[in-house]
């Protein structure tokens, strides 16, 4: 599983909708591997989404996340004016999930 962060650029004086995680999750497609979406409206550097993705490799996971993110900001009225800035994989120390 991969955790991919997607920072967004917001229009001036605009905040990320309170239901942003649900909005983005509604754009999931069968087979894209996206298991969960978290929204961080007050993240350093601006609003950021976290996508947990099950995939055979990182490149495929990133492609699915970027495709979904771009589609959501282009098509959902509540996200009008938001843009996808970039994306990066969050590396989590192994001890986080193996109980050590």
């Amino acid at each position: 599983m991969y955790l991919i962060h997607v920072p967004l650029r917001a229009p001036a004086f605009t905040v990320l909708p309170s239901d942003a995680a649900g909005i983005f999750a509604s754009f999931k497609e069968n087979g894209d591997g996206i298991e969960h979406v978290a929204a961080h409206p007050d993240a350093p550097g601006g609003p950021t989404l976290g996508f947990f993705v099950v995939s055979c490799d990182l490149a495929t996971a990133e492609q699915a996340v970027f495709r979904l993110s771009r589609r959501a900001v282009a098509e959902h009225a509540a996200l009008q004016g938001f843009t996808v800035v970039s994306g990066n994989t969050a590396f989590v120390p192994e001890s986080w999930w193996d109980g050590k």
Side-chain angles (χ1 to χ4, degrees):
M1 181 173 287
Y2 297 96
L3 169 56
I4 300 173
H5 287 150
V6 176
L8 301 174
R9 183 173 297 119
F13 309 107
T14 305
V15 297
L16 194 63
S18 61
D19 60 343
I23 291 171
F24 279 86
S26 73
F27 283 85
K28 294 190 305 184
E29 295 180 333
N30 290 334
D32 65 12
I34 296 171
E35 295 287 319
H36 179 73
V37 182
H40 306 284
D42 299 320
T48 300
L49 297 162
F51 292 85
F52 291 85
V53 185
V54 174
S55 179
C56 59
D57 61 72
L58 177 58
T60 302
E62 288 176 334
Q63 289 169 4
V65 167
F66 299 143
R67 188 172 47 249
L68 178 151
S69 299
R70 289 185 189 112
R71 195 170 60 251
V73 298
E75 296 178 13
H76 199 283
L79 301 173
Q80 185 175 12
F82 282 87
T83 56
V84 175
V85 175
S86 65
N88 54 53
T89 303
F91 292 99
V92 180
E94 185 175 349
S95 61
W96 178 76
W97 64 78
D98 70 5
K100 293 182 182 177

